Amino acid sequence: MEGLTTIQKLAVLFLPVLFAITVHEAAHGWMAKKLGDQTASLLGRVTLNPLRHIDPIGTIVVPLAMFALTGFLFGWAKPVPVDGRRLRQPRRDMALVAIAGPGANLIMAVFWAGMIHLGIILGDNYAWFALPMVYMGSAGILINAFLMVLNLIPILPLDGGRVVASLLPPRLAMQYARLEPWGLMIVVALLFSGLLGNVVQPGVLLVQNFSTWIVGLH
């Protein structure tokens, strides 16, 4: 997207960022509902309507500010409430609820790869439509790959941390959970130190390559 203006870049990034964040959260609620907890469903959070998941600060202000200041996108949606006591097998099911979010990002990465493929097929005959589709698809793959890998880092309150807490013996899980108040501070410190990119880059490349491969792009 090097040849695009700032406004064009924001237009290309808008939908991929919005849905990458909100569908991730909806997936948590959907999985919780399947496993017995209706909390998110009763609150109207098991939906693909982005308006139900937008956090004014995390979904709008922070991503725009980060992009304007650093050219890097970082944000979040309103967390989906999950009541572990209502899950059929709380420890196992909490891990499944957690992994549903990154799983949704993987599906969306493949979807955006499909959009690139479609844009290439349309080619020059429909360049007015095909070229934006290719740009948006490229952004969608990258954003979803990044969010998927970032959320799989085993730090609470990230999804990877939830999975680790579910797998640990109860006593160790309780001790591990005490680190949660520091989790986001650790992630932000990694982000501003530049180390976060080194941590997630191998996984992001793997997801990108998988997404393009599965739709037949080389």
Side-chain angles (χ1 to χ4, degrees):
M1 295 192 292
E2 293 180 0
L4 301 182
T5 67
T6 299
I7 298 299
Q8 288 173 327
K9 288 180 181 178
L10 288 174
V12 165
L13 291 169
F14 178 74
L15 286 179
V17 170
L18 185 64
F19 284 104
I21 295 174
T22 58
V23 175
H24 176 105
E25 293 299 333
H28 288 313
W30 178 83
M31 182 60 74
K33 181 180 179 181
K34 290 293 182 182
L35 297 173
D37 177 25
Q38 303 290 323
T39 304
S41 179
L42 292 173
L43 293 173
R45 298 295 303 280
V46 185
T47 175
L48 296 181
N49 179 3
L51 297 177
R52 304 295 298 181
H53 303 286
I54 287 176
D55 180 291
I57 301 298
T59 317
I60 299 173
V61 176
V62 170
L64 287 175
M66 287 290 294
F67 183 76
L69 295 173
T70 68
F72 186 84
L73 279 168
F74 182 78
W76 60 88
K78 290 190 295 185
V80 166
V82 177
D83 187 345
R85 297 168 300 179
R86 297 183 178 183
L87 297 171
R88 298 187 188 97
Q89 298 185 45
R91 285 175 57 79
R92 183 207 68 179
D93 292 350
M94 280 299 294
L96 294 175
V97 170
I99 209 70
N105 289 125
L106 178 59
I107 293 170
M108 283 188 285
V110 174
F111 167 81
W112 287 115
M115 290 298 99
I116 295 176
H117 200 178
L118 180 58
I120 292 172
I121 292 172
L122 293 175
D124 294 336
N125 292 330
Y126 300 92
W128 60 273
F129 181 69
L131 189 57
M133 187 180 297
V134 170
Y135 277 130
M136 194 173 291
S138 299
I141 295 174
L142 177 60
I143 291 162
N144 280 285
F146 175 78
L147 282 179
M148 176 185 175
V149 176
L150 173 67
N151 276 283
L152 288 176
I153 295 175
I155 298 175
L156 289 168
L158 299 179
D159 298 325
R162 300 290 182 205
V163 173
V164 170
S166 296
L167 296 175
L168 288 173
R171 182 173 296 180
L172 285 177
M174 290 179 63
Q175 295 176 352
Y176 181 67
R178 293 173 185 168
L179 300 174
E180 182 166 351
W182 304 96
L184 286 180
M185 295 177 63
I186 294 172
V187 173
V188 171
L190 289 171
L191 173 63
F192 282 102
S193 68
L195 293 175
L196 185 62
N198 294 330
V199 172
V200 302
Q201 184 178 23
V204 169
L205 289 174
L206 181 63
V207 175
Q208 287 178 303
N209 290 335
F210 172 78
S211 300
T212 53
W213 169 80
I214 203 168
V215 300
L217 291 174
H218 302 288

Coordinates of all heavy atoms in Angstrom, one line a residue, residues 91-92 94-100 102 151-154 156 158-168 176:
R91 N -13.3 -26.0 33.0 CA -11.9 -25.8 32.7 C -11.6 -26.1 31.2 O -10.9 -25.3 30.5 CB -11.0 -26.8 33.5 CG -10.9 -26.2 35.0 CD -10.1 -27.2 35.9 NE -8.8 -27.5 35.3 CZ -7.7 -26.7 35.5 NH1 -7.8 -25.6 36.1 NH2 -6.5 -27.1 35.0
R92 N -12.2 -27.2 30.7 CA -12.0 -27.5 29.3 C -12.7 -26.5 28.4 O -12.1 -26.0 27.4 CB -12.6 -28.9 29.0 CG -12.4 -29.4 27.6 CD -13.4 -30.4 27.1 NE -14.8 -29.8 27.0 CZ -15.9 -30.4 26.7 NH1 -15.8 -31.7 26.4 NH2 -17.0 -29.8 26.6
M94 N -13.5 -23.4 29.0 CA -12.9 -22.0 28.9 C -11.8 -22.0 27.9 O -11.6 -21.0 27.2 CB -12.4 -21.7 30.3 CG -13.5 -21.1 31.3 SD -14.3 -19.7 30.7 CE -13.0 -18.4 30.7
A95 N -11.1 -23.1 27.8 CA -10.0 -23.2 26.7 C -10.6 -23.1 25.3 O -10.1 -22.4 24.5 CB -9.2 -24.4 26.9
L96 N -11.7 -23.8 25.2 CA -12.4 -23.8 23.8 C -13.0 -22.4 23.5 O -12.9 -22.0 22.4 CB -13.5 -24.9 23.8 CG -13.0 -26.3 23.9 CD1 -14.2 -27.3 24.0 CD2 -12.2 -26.7 22.7
V97 N -13.5 -21.8 24.5 CA -14.1 -20.4 24.3 C -12.9 -19.5 23.9 O -13.0 -18.6 23.0 CB -14.8 -19.9 25.6 CG1 -15.1 -18.4 25.4 CG2 -16.1 -20.7 25.8
A98 N -11.8 -19.6 24.6 CA -10.6 -18.8 24.3 C -10.1 -19.0 22.9 O -9.8 -18.0 22.2 CB -9.5 -19.0 25.4
I99 N -10.0 -20.2 22.5 CA -9.4 -20.5 21.2 C -10.3 -20.2 20.0 O -9.8 -20.0 18.9 CB -9.0 -22.0 21.1 CG1 -7.8 -22.2 20.2 CG2 -10.2 -22.9 20.7 CD1 -6.5 -21.7 20.8
A100 N -11.6 -20.0 20.3 CA -12.5 -19.6 19.3 C -12.2 -18.3 18.6 O -12.4 -18.1 17.4 CB -14.0 -19.6 19.8
P102 N -9.1 -16.6 18.2 CA -8.0 -16.8 17.2 C -8.5 -17.7 16.0 O -8.1 -17.4 14.9 CB -6.9 -17.5 18.0 CG -7.1 -17.0 19.4 CD -8.6 -16.9 19.5
N151 N -3.0 -12.9 20.1 CA -3.9 -13.5 21.1 C -3.5 -14.8 21.6 O -4.0 -15.3 22.6 CB -5.3 -13.5 20.6 CG -6.0 -12.1 20.8 OD1 -6.4 -11.7 21.9 ND2 -6.1 -11.3 19.7
L152 N -2.7 -15.5 20.8 CA -2.2 -16.9 21.3 C -1.0 -16.8 22.2 O -0.5 -17.8 22.7 CB -1.9 -17.7 20.0 CG -3.2 -18.2 19.3 CD1 -2.8 -19.0 18.0 CD2 -4.1 -19.1 20.2
I153 N -0.4 -15.6 22.4 CA 0.7 -15.5 23.3 C 0.2 -15.9 24.7 O -0.8 -15.4 25.1 CB 1.2 -14.0 23.3 CG1 1.8 -13.6 22.0 CG2 2.3 -13.8 24.4 CD1 2.3 -12.2 21.9
P154 N 0.9 -16.7 25.4 CA 0.4 -17.3 26.7 C 0.6 -16.3 27.8 O 1.3 -16.6 28.8 CB 1.3 -18.5 26.9 CG 2.6 -18.2 26.2 CD 2.2 -17.4 25.0
L156 N -2.0 -13.8 30.2 CA -3.3 -13.4 30.6 C -3.4 -11.9 30.5 O -2.4 -11.2 30.9 CB -3.7 -13.8 32.0 CG -3.9 -15.3 32.2 CD1 -4.0 -15.7 33.6 CD2 -5.3 -15.7 31.5
L158 N -4.8 -12.5 27.5 CA -4.9 -12.9 26.1 C -5.4 -14.3 26.1 O -5.4 -15.1 27.0 CB -3.6 -12.8 25.4 CG -2.9 -11.4 25.3 CD1 -1.6 -11.5 24.6 CD2 -3.8 -10.5 24.6
D159 N -6.0 -14.7 24.9 CA -6.6 -16.0 24.8 C -5.6 -17.2 25.0 O -5.9 -18.2 25.6 CB -7.2 -16.2 23.4 CG -8.3 -15.2 23.1 OD1 -9.0 -14.9 24.0 OD2 -8.4 -14.7 22.0
G160 N -4.4 -17.0 24.6 CA -3.3 -18.0 24.9 C -3.2 -18.2 26.4 O -2.9 -19.3 26.9
G161 N -3.2 -17.1 27.2 CA -3.2 -17.2 28.6 C -4.3 -18.0 29.2 O -4.2 -18.8 30.1
R162 N -5.5 -17.8 28.6 CA -6.7 -18.5 29.1 C -6.5 -20.0 28.8 O -6.9 -20.8 29.7 CB -8.0 -18.0 28.3 CG -8.3 -16.5 28.5 CD -8.8 -16.2 29.9 NE -9.1 -14.8 30.0 CZ -9.1 -14.1 31.1 NH1 -8.7 -14.7 32.2 NH2 -9.4 -12.8 31.1
V163 N -6.0 -20.3 27.7 CA -5.8 -21.8 27.4 C -4.8 -22.4 28.4 O -5.0 -23.5 28.9 CB -5.3 -21.9 25.9 CG1 -4.9 -23.4 25.7 CG2 -6.3 -21.5 24.9
V164 N -3.7 -21.7 28.6 CA -2.7 -22.2 29.6 C -3.3 -22.4 31.0 O -3.1 -23.4 31.6 CB -1.5 -21.2 29.6 CG1 -0.5 -21.6 30.8 CG2 -0.7 -21.2 28.3
A165 N -4.1 -21.4 31.4 CA -4.7 -21.5 32.7 C -5.6 -22.6 32.8 O -5.8 -23.3 33.9 CB -5.5 -20.2 33.0
S166 N -6.3 -23.0 31.7 CA -7.2 -24.1 31.7 C -6.5 -25.5 31.7 O -7.0 -26.5 32.2 CB -8.1 -24.1 30.4 OG -8.9 -23.0 30.5
L167 N -5.2 -25.5 31.2 CA -4.5 -26.7 31.1 C -3.7 -27.0 32.4 O -3.3 -28.1 32.7 CB -3.5 -26.7 29.9 CG -4.2 -26.6 28.5 CD1 -3.1 -26.5 27.5 CD2 -5.0 -27.9 28.3
L168 N -3.4 -25.9 33.2 CA -2.6 -26.1 34.4 C -3.4 -26.8 35.5 O -4.6 -26.6 35.5 CB -2.1 -24.7 34.9 CG -1.0 -24.0 34.0 CD1 -0.7 -22.6 34.6 CD2 0.3 -24.8 34.1
Y176 N -1.0 -18.6 38.5 CA -0.8 -18.0 37.1 C -1.8 -16.9 36.9 O -1.4 -15.8 36.3 CB -1.0 -19.1 36.1 CG -0.8 -18.7 34.7 CD1 0.5 -18.3 34.2 CD2 -1.9 -18.7 33.8 CE1 0.6 -17.9 32.9 CE2 -1.7 -18.3 32.5 CZ -0.4 -17.9 32.0 OH -0.3 -17.5 30.7

